Amino acid sequence: QVQLAESGGGLVQPGGSLRLSCAASGSIGNIIDIQWYRQAPGKQRELIAAITSGGSTNYPDSVKGRFTISRDNAKNTISLQMNSLKPEDTAVYYCYVAIGTPYYKRAYWGQGTQVTVSS
C-alpha cells in the first residue's frame, strides 16, 4: 500500500505563492502517472498538472505559466509550486499517483489540502 501525505496548503493573498508537497511512502513500485488535481465547492475535480516519467509536464490553460509540477526522486516527494495565485484557485488540492502497468494501475490519492486565495 502507498500512502500520500500532502502538506503546504493555507491562506494566501491574491498574487501570492504556495508550494504544495506530497510525500509518498510504502511500496512505490513502478510509477505510471503523477498528477495534481483540485476541486472547488460545487465544481468537478480538475486536472491541473501532470508530469511523465520522462519529465514532460502538462498544464491546462487555467494554470499554465503559474503552476509548476516537479518530483524529488531522492525523497519520493511530489511538489506543486503555485505562483500568481488568484481567488479562482481556491480549492482542495489533491496529489495523485498511479502505480503498476498501463494495463493494471493502482491509483493513490492524497488526503487533500485546502488552498484559499483571498484578500
Side-chain angles (χ1 to χ4, degrees), residues 7-9 17-21 70 72 77-82:
S7 62
S17 298
L18 283 174
R19 185 173 185 269
L20 306 183
S21 295
S70 63
D72 186 333
T77 301
I78 305 160
S79 297
L80 183 68
Q81 179 67 45
M82 305 185 295

Side-chain angles (χ1 to χ4, degrees), residues 41-63:
K43 302 292 184 180
Q44 66 185 87
R45 189 168 295 185
E46 176 189 17
L47 174 65
I48 56 169
I51 186 168
T52 68
S53 60
S56 298
T57 57
N58 189 39
Y59 309 91
D61 290 340
S62 58
V63 306

Side-chain angles (χ1 to χ4, degrees), residues 15-97:
S17 298
L18 283 174
R19 185 173 185 269
L20 306 183
S21 295
C22 179
S25 62
S27 301
I28 305 300
N30 185 44
I31 297 177
I32 305 300
D33 297 307
I34 300 173
Q35 300 170 344
W36 283 93
Y37 291 78
R38 69 184 181 189
Q39 188 166 24
K43 302 292 184 180
Q44 66 185 87
R45 189 168 295 185
E46 176 189 17
L47 174 65
I48 56 169
I51 186 168
T52 68
S53 60
S56 298
T57 57
N58 189 39
Y59 309 91
D61 290 340
S62 58
V63 306
K64 189 177 298 182
R66 300 188 297 118
F67 290 12
T68 303
I69 186 173
S70 63
R71 178 186 180 185
D72 186 333
N73 292 321
K75 298 181 179 180
N76 276 331
T77 301
I78 305 160
S79 297
L80 183 68
Q81 179 67 45
M82 305 185 295
N83 299 325
S84 301
L85 284 163
K86 307 173 181 179
E88 64 198 64
D89 295 320
T90 296
V92 178
Y93 285 70
Y94 301 88
C95 61
Y96 165 93
V97 176

